[in-house]
Amino acid sequence: MSDQSLALKPVESLTLEEAQAELGRLAAEIAVHDKAYHGADAPLITDAEYDALRARNLAIEERFPELVRADSPSRRVGATPSEAFAEIRHARPMLSLDNLFSDEDVVDFADSVRRFLGLGADALPVFTAEPKIDGLSLSIRYEGGRLAVAATRGDGLTGENVTANVRTIADIPDTLPAGVPDVVEIRGEVYMGRKDFLALNERMRAEGGKVFANPRNAAAGSLRQLDPTITAKRPLRFFAYAWGDMPRLETTQYDTVRRFADWGFPVNDLMVRCPSVEAMIAHYHRIEADRATLDYDIDGVVYKVDDLTLQDRLGFRSRSPRWATAHKFPAERAFTVLKDIEIQVGRTGALTPVAKLEPVTVGGVVVSNATLHNEDYIKGIGQSGLPIREGRDIRVGDTVIVQRAGDVIPQIVDVVTDKRGPDSVPYVFPTLCPACGSHAVREERGDGRLDAVRRCTGGLVCPAQQVEKLKHFASRNAFDIEGLGDKQIEFFHALEEPELRIRTPADIFTLEAREAKSFKRLRDFPGFGATSVKNLFAAIEARRAIALNRLIFGLGIRHVGETNAKILARAYGTWDHFQEAMIAAADKPGEAWAELNAVDGIGTVVAEAVVDFFAEPHNRDAVAALLAEVRPEAMEALVAVASPVAGKTVVFTGSLEKMTRDEAKATAERLGAKVAGSVSKKTDLVVAGPGAGSKLAKATELGIEVIDEDAWLERIQGL
Ligand code: IVH
């Protein structure tokens, strides 16, 4: 493919016939890559090569607008609502930010930046400081100056294609001024203003619809609409504050964002440059004081190193940059009365106490439920077994303090015992599952203490666990079955008719066939019409082919979240291989058990949980029934970073002059190398600075390649 692109004729010199032929070829080729990319999660070419294909397609179309094909890739992306939620792989990962909570934390953060860069005690780089907008992040890609694709953050590597919806947001330009680079990726936050949010809720209430809890949820709900005409009616706004794939235009963060303003993007006017830590902290408190007067919700202040060269040098940890961080505002609190404690039974049988509160407004949001964590928490005992709240327990009827911080579930942080009435009695935590009556027990942990969580022992017999497991199975990040949300699962689970009932994952896939044989028709049930039944069956059918990681995640194994499911899927490749290995791993400490524990990112707790799951006969039965219905797709291992040092073991020794040890190590690791502390036969490369001693001698003795700092920098230049 790349050989071909080398031989490409400049777009200006293409004849009409040549252009037509090439557009046809490009449409087919890009379609193949889209499928490999989104469907099989196994791209055949690099992102840059893919981008080049799209850019070429766009350039030819621009010169020959009359030749734009109906199936052109430029039209296909996000053009139809059904594609609106296809997965998009971000050209560069969308990172999150670490959090700071105090002024002292800011001093430490600045110090860590200085240390990493090897700067002197009073040399501190300039930082920008700006509000942290409480919305959802979005990446908008422009190709040839035109909006091409927009995606939500998703898991940071892949997001949802929301292009059709983003085109309806007035704050976001469809085209950029002439002269912008061919590929521009603007990143920022989609949000809803407070006044707009209140008006929208008013409208929704009047129409008898659902109201949103806060502007953030309203923004997320509006952006993730399948029908773009609905999004168009929602007052969504946007602030640009970052970028992805884009050539460098300025030397600083501040000037780059200013440039976005010139291109027509809204940027936040509270962004400033701070020459010192004191200035950063002062700006934080200024923004905090003005918070209530802003028409949009913010939950903190973001600091970023201004100089882009320094940003590059600082680089990233796994999920967040070293050059930026969020300084969060303190959580908000309010007093209210605890009316009742309800016990919810979760997917894994955990009994979670939920506080039912006299509704109270906390930081602009009405709260009527809050978590009480677990039995010990109610009693006033912390995770370490020591008293919390000076040992004060929480009782029904108490006046309590509710705290809400950002998106986190509100919690009860304290209780006002002075206001307790004379009849008040301590809360008695149930020892039987409220859903199925099975015993609920606290398992013994490794250290001899009891687990904080009391669990129902009913397993799949417990209706609450069944329902929660099914909800999880059908949910967006697992099987993602459209039209089978929480409410529908509850409906199907509670049905009297065995031929229409859903009790296990396999039942979902046999539903249509069972209905066909039944006298009852789903379309005759309230809430179902002929169309919704047809759509539901189609949505179920569409999930018979399922990505391996989604299947593993969907099983709801304890400790196996999305990330671990992906790790396991990549490590084992196919379902059969995975299942065989997990069953074999029950034989400890056998080979399969060792292999599982050796998977990068999988620790003993996760390994135990997966093996336990497969050791349980009823789980194996449920899985076998499901596997008779669905076809898990194989997953290919990710291609490692293409760099001359990928997979090599590197040792740094002696003093480095152009970077600190931390920086050198981080860079090498980013490029796929392993950094070791000592030289051995396994070492591939030694980078030696002045003063290198025994390690250098050993390397020479073993015949290992030795280079100096400059040669190292040259080798990794531009990567
Ligand atoms: S910068 C690589 N700036 O906060 C850094 N993020 O907690 C990219 N956010 O996912 C983020 N306001 O959605 C940045 N002014 C701001 C922000 C901001 C809100 C969000 C963003 C990010 C999350 C991390």
Side-chain angles (χ1 to χ4, degrees):
M1 229 147 288
S2 33
D3 293 349
Q4 228 167 27
S5 54
L6 284 176
L8 286 179
K9 218 167 149 180
V11 174
E12 304 80 62
S13 48
L14 288 177
T15 65
L16 190 76
E17 286 73 14
E18 283 170 340
Q20 192 166 19
E22 207 187 335
L23 285 179
R25 196 171 53 73
L26 282 167
E29 194 175 331
I30 292 172
V32 168
H33 294 308
D34 281 343
K35 196 147 169 269
Y37 204 82
H38 304 307
D41 209 355
L44 307 164
I45 53 174
T46 66
D47 289 353
E49 284 168 329
Y50 176 83
D51 292 342
L53 289 177
R54 288 196 77 100
R56 172 102 181 153
N57 187 70
L58 208 66
I60 301 176
E61 287 183 345
E62 223 135 356
R63 195 171 151 227
F64 301 101
E66 69 279 18
L67 293 183
V68 175
R69 303 164 57 98
D71 66 346
S72 163
S74 64
R75 286 198 178 184
R76 210 170 43 229
V77 174
T80 54
S82 62
E83 281 203 9
F85 289 94
E87 280 197 343
I88 294 278
R89 170 93 76 99
H90 298 302
R92 303 242 182 110
M94 286 182 82
L95 300 159
S96 63
L97 296 170
D98 280 350
N99 295 321
L100 312 177
F101 295 96
S102 68
D103 294 357
E104 293 81 65
D105 287 349
V106 183
V107 177
D108 292 347
F109 165 68
D111 272 346
S112 74
V113 167
R114 185 183 345 199
R115 266 200 314 275
F116 189 93
L117 295 171
L119 299 176
D122 36 44
L124 184 69
V126 170
F127 284 86
T128 60
E130 67 200 61
K132 182 167 188 303
I133 316 296
D134 201 3
L136 64 155
S137 47
L138 181 73
S139 182
I140 318 161
R141 186 176 174 93
Y142 292 81
E143 290 173 4
R146 291 206 308 228
L147 197 162
V149 191
T152 59
R153 177 164 176 273
D155 64 2
L157 298 175
T158 49
E160 286 173 332
N161 184 343
V162 287
T163 314
N165 295 346
V166 166
R167 288 193 202 280
T168 70
I169 302 177
D171 270 356
I172 297 177
D174 278 327
T175 53
L176 302 183
V180 300
D182 198 40
V183 171
V184 165
E185 263 180 32
I186 303 288
R187 292 182 174 174
E189 202 85 352
V190 174
Y191 68 98
M192 197 178 283
R194 285 198 192 137
K195 282 201 206 75
D196 285 340
F197 159 72
L198 293 174
L200 172 68
N201 262 0
E202 197 108 320
R203 204 172 83 206
M204 306 271 281
R205 203 173 285 123
E207 291 167 3
K210 178 180 138 202
V211 296
F212 292 108
N214 54 45
R216 203 197 98 83
N217 287 358
S222 302
L223 186 66
R224 306 232 318 274
Q225 279 290 333
L226 282 175
D227 178 358
T229 61
I230 299 183
T231 311
K233 291 187 201 136
R234 302 281 173 80
L236 289 176
R237 320 230 25 202
F238 182 74
F239 277 127
Y241 54 63
W243 59 96
D245 191 9
M246 186 180 88
R248 179 152 300 177
L249 301 168
E250 304 279 353
T251 55
T252 63
Q253 171 79 29
Y254 190 88
D255 290 335
T256 310
V257 174
R258 297 295 337 158
R259 176 82 78 114
F260 296 163
D262 296 340
W263 291 349
F265 290 94
V267 304
N268 196 285
D269 56 6
L270 294 170
M271 172 179 70
V272 299
R273 275 184 167 130
C274 302
S276 67
V277 178
E278 291 71 33
M280 292 158 74
I281 294 172
H283 195 57
Y284 168 88
H285 290 293
R286 213 171 301 131
I287 292 179
E288 188 183 26
D290 287 347
R291 187 177 179 190
T293 67
L294 302 175
D295 186 42
Y296 46 87
D297 280 357
I298 62 176
D299 56 353
V301 170
V302 181
Y303 307 121
K304 300 172 186 168
V305 169
D306 195 31
D307 183 320
L308 298 183
T309 311
L310 295 183
Q311 284 191 4
D312 283 348
R313 282 182 56 194
L314 285 153
F316 308 95
R317 276 176 239 94
S318 61
R319 301 193 51 211
S320 53
R322 283 194 195 84
W323 47 264
T325 195
H327 187 178
K328 300 293 279 280
F329 293 135
E332 295 174 89
R333 294 179 168 197
F335 290 98
T336 189
V337 174
L338 175 61
K339 292 197 303 187
D340 199 4
I341 296 177
E342 196 181 277
I343 302 291
Q344 284 181 356
V345 185
R347 176 162 66 78
T348 56
L351 267 47
T352 305
V354 177
K356 297 283 151 181
L357 303 169
E358 196 64 62
V360 61
T361 307
V362 193
V365 173
V366 178
V367 173
S368 42
N369 295 315
T371 180
L372 282 161
H373 304 289
N374 56 50
E375 185 172 355
D376 282 353
Y377 189 84
I378 297 177
K379 283 189 186 147
I381 305 170
Q383 285 184 350
S384 54
L386 298 172
I388 47 169
R389 302 185 302 266
E390 294 167 343
R392 285 186 287 278
D393 69 330
I394 297 174
R395 305 178 181 187
V396 173
D398 274 348
T399 295
V400 292
I401 300 174
V402 201
Q403 170 173 300
R404 193 185 71 92
D407 233 14
V408 185
I409 303 170
Q411 48 176 329
I412 305 293
V413 288
D414 210 347
V415 45
V416 188
T417 40
D418 292 353
K419 293 204 175 174
R420 205 169 255 177
D423 318 328
S424 155
V425 285
Y427 178 74
V428 182
F429 203 92
T431 52
L432 297 179
C433 169
C436 72
S438 301
H439 283 286
V441 299
R442 293 176 63 173
E443 286 163 21
E444 196 149 332
R445 304 189 316 186
D447 59 3
R449 295 215 352 258
L450 291 180
D451 194 73
V453 178
R454 192 175 279 280
R455 272 175 215 283
C456 160
T457 52
L460 278 179
V461 172
C462 174
Q465 288 192 52
Q466 277 178 7
V467 169
E468 294 309 313
K469 282 193 164 73
L470 285 168
K471 286 180 187 170
H472 172 80
F473 181 85
S475 68
R476 206 158 59 81
N477 296 330
F479 271 65
D480 191 21
I481 302 176
E482 186 100 26
L484 202 56
D486 291 0
K487 281 219 183 71
Q488 287 79 11
I489 295 277
E490 278 165 21
F491 163 83
F492 278 112
H493 188 267
L495 278 182
E496 301 277 328
E497 296 74 5
E499 70 274 24
L500 298 181
R501 196 155 58 192
I502 296 179
R503 291 273 159 98
T504 68
D507 291 349
I508 296 175
F509 291 95
T510 57
L511 179 63
E512 187 172 3
R514 288 185 289 132
E515 197 226 25
K517 282 196 226 138
S518 160
F519 294 116
K520 301 256 177 136
R521 284 285 161 267
L522 260 182
R523 61 168 183 265
D524 300 330
F525 283 83
F528 284 93
T531 318
S532 63
V533 172
K534 196 172 127 243
N535 289 346
L536 174 61
F537 288 157
I540 292 173
E541 216 43 46
R543 291 295 181 264
R544 283 197 193 265
I546 188 77
L548 182 56
N549 57 312
R550 284 178 176 265
L551 169 60
I552 296 175
F553 175 61
L555 296 178
I557 304 170
R558 251 170 100 182
H559 305 300
V560 180
E562 269 188 276
T563 308
N564 284 336
K566 265 191 199 155
I567 294 176
L568 290 168
R570 288 220 172 91
Y572 290 94
T574 66
W575 172 265
D576 290 343
H577 188 191
F578 171 63
Q579 175 166 272
E580 258 167 49
M582 293 311 107
I583 293 171
D587 175 16
K588 296 175 209 167
E591 209 173 293
W593 171 251
E595 193 188 331
L596 173 60
N597 280 276
V599 174
D600 207 8
I602 299 292
T604 331
V605 174
V606 178
E608 293 270 11
V610 187
V611 169
D612 285 354
F613 178 89
F614 281 96
E616 197 67 64
H618 65 242
N619 286 336
R620 260 150 74 170
D621 293 346
V623 166
L626 175 63
L627 264 291
E629 301 295 331
V630 302
R631 299 180 300 278
E633 291 165 352
M635 180 123 173
E636 278 179 32
L638 268 196
V639 189
V641 200
S643 92
V645 294
K648 302 247 161 88
T649 300
V650 181
V651 173
F652 291 95
T653 181
S655 54
L656 301 173
E657 280 157 356
K658 303 210 166 87
M659 55 193 167
T660 62
R661 230 4 120 72
D662 280 346
E663 183 178 353
K665 181 164 185 280
T667 312
E669 283 171 350
R670 180 170 61 77
L671 296 173
K674 193 166 159 252
V675 179
S678 60
V679 175
S680 74
K681 272 189 281 189
K682 289 193 187 146
T683 311
D684 296 299
L685 181 66
V686 171
V687 181
S694 61
K695 288 181 197 171
L696 174 58
K698 177 132 189 230
T700 319
E701 182 193 316
L702 291 171
I704 293 165
E705 185 183 10
V706 178
I707 58 176
D708 66 9
E709 189 179 5
D710 285 335
W712 163 256
L713 289 173
E714 202 166 298
R715 197 166 288 197
I716 62 165
Q717 198 181 19
L719 292 173

